[in-house]
Amino acid sequence: TEIYTLSLHDALPICDFDDAVYAEKLRLGGWKLWVAIADVSAYVIPGTALDAEATNRATSVYFPENVIPMLPEALSNGLCSLNPQVDRLCMVCEMKVDRDGEVSKSKFYPAVMNSRARLIYDDVAEILENPLGTEAQRRPELVKPLQTLKAVFDVLFAAREKRGAIDFEGTETKIVFGAERKIEKIVPVKRNVAHRLIEECMIAANVESAKLVEKHAMPALYRVHAEPDGDKVALLREFLAGRGLSLAGGSTPKAGDYAATLVKLKGREDAGLVQSVMLRSLMQARYHPQNTGHFGRSEEHTSELQSHHD
């Protein structure tokens, strides 16, 4: 496979410390979408002490307002972080997204990027929802790139809905600490359009990476999601019937059947409870060396790929 190297100095990627996204409208229709992740492999060489310690730790451990990193902070918060206004090594998935939301082409290559902005989700959502508002006026150079990303998200999400993928509307929680790090309160954190935008771009890149390693028969771990257990589906049907709802698909419902039921929950007071029970009826996603597909995303032949140092 030919390896390309690209400098993203002139682009305007919107990034976190681990990943970045950027999109451009194509003259003949569709978009070019870049998803970049920090290239940890440039610094953590297989067989070195760093690699051994990272393998021993397996992952970074996250606590509220604190983290025990898998790699030394000089890397995890320094050289491997996609900090704004500095050159950073990254791995890029470049995709051509057609107007119907399908990825028709993709390629992967190492790159050097210089991020223009690190934004928080709330700020991105504010700019997208009110492009003439205070936040947009404060950073006017971001309005057009964000709107282009939003357009890509719209077609990717529409394609996901067409496939019948499940989209649970969950609410996460955030712990707020008071004096002496005592828990003061737990507040809900609702996903906004910015969360969804990043999620959809990352899913697209993960699917393309899974296709690549599968095509070249390279050993890897895939994020797979099996079909729901029949007994759990039967219990779910009983629960739904008691609330005037149903689930199509007989004993082997598809993701689209779940999605159709979720649509009926909009505006219902018990929507959160029903979603929770539906979610519990599904199998847990797991990592597996065989690509057996992802039920929840309605992806039959591809699934999320987990990198060794993720």
Side-chain angles (χ1 to χ4, degrees), residues 129-157:
E129 291 171 9
N130 190 2
L132 298 177
T134 302
E135 189 62 35
Q137 290 179 4
R138 190 171 70 88
R139 310 184 80 166
E141 76 281 2
L142 297 178
V143 176
K144 185 177 179 180
L146 286 176
Q147 289 176 330
T148 302
L149 279 168
K150 174 64 164 54
V152 178
F153 159 73
D154 287 339
V155 297
L156 287 173
F157 192 78

Side-chain angles (χ1 to χ4, degrees), residues 1-4 108-109:
T1 302
E2 188 174 358
I3 300 296
Y4 298 83
F108 295 81
Y109 47 81

Side-chain angles (χ1 to χ4, degrees), residues 78-248:
L79 289 172
C80 296
S81 289
L82 303 181
N83 297 315
Q85 313 303 327
V86 292
D87 288 354
R88 286 291 184 261
L89 300 178
C90 61
M91 288 297 298
V92 176
C93 175
E94 180 184 315
M95 294 166 277
K96 182 179 183 298
V97 181
D98 296 335
R99 281 173 283 195
D100 60 0
E102 297 298 327
V103 178
S104 58
K105 294 181 181 178
S106 67
K107 60 182 178 181
F108 295 81
Y109 47 81
V112 177
M113 65 167 283
N114 190 299
S115 170
R116 298 287 186 86
R118 178 180 183 264
L119 300 177
I120 63 174
Y121 290 112
D122 289 346
D123 288 349
V124 172
E126 171 64 24
I127 292 173
L128 289 173
E129 291 171 9
N130 190 2
L132 298 177
T134 302
E135 189 62 35
Q137 290 179 4
R138 190 171 70 88
R139 310 184 80 166
E141 76 281 2
L142 297 178
V143 176
K144 185 177 179 180
L146 286 176
Q147 289 176 330
T148 302
L149 279 168
K150 174 64 164 54
V152 178
F153 159 73
D154 287 339
V155 297
L156 287 173
F157 192 78
R160 181 212 277 228
E161 287 189 315
K162 185 177 180 180
R163 289 197 310 270
I166 304 173
D167 183 42
F168 286 105
E169 278 285 355
T171 300
E172 297 182 3
T173 57
K174 177 182 177 181
I175 297 175
V176 178
F177 292 94
E180 299 180 358
R181 285 190 59 80
K182 299 293 183 181
I183 296 178
E184 187 174 280
K185 56 184 176 180
I186 299 177
V187 297
V189 179
K190 189 172 179 61
R191 287 199 309 162
N192 57 39
V193 66
H195 293 94
R196 290 175 170 273
L197 187 156
I198 293 297
E199 179 184 86
E200 212 61 43
C201 291
M202 294 303 160
I203 289 174
N206 272 311
V207 168
E208 293 307 305
S209 64
K211 288 180 181 178
L212 179 70
V213 297
E214 193 170 53
K215 175 182 177 181
H216 294 283
M218 294 183 286
L221 289 178
Y222 297 87
R223 182 75 166 174
V224 299
H225 189 211
E227 295 184 355
D229 176 75
D231 291 339
K232 287 187 176 181
V233 170
L235 291 173
L236 173 61
R237 290 188 190 284
E238 290 182 18
F239 172 81
L240 293 174
R243 293 179 174 270
L245 296 166
S246 62
L247 177 69

Side-chain angles (χ1 to χ4, degrees), residues 5 13 30 54 65 67 98 194 229 236 240 257 279 292 297:
T5 302
E65 300 182 347
V67 61
D98 296 335
D229 176 75
L236 173 61
L240 293 174
D257 300 320
L279 182 61
T292 57
R297 294 179 188 162

Side-chain angles (χ1 to χ4, degrees), residues 4-25:
Y4 298 83
T5 302
L6 173 71
S7 175
L8 297 179
H9 282 276
D10 297 325
L12 186 64
I14 309 305
C15 85
D16 198 342
F17 284 158
D18 300 320
D19 44 61
V21 293
Y22 176 70
E24 288 182 355
K25 179 76 173 175

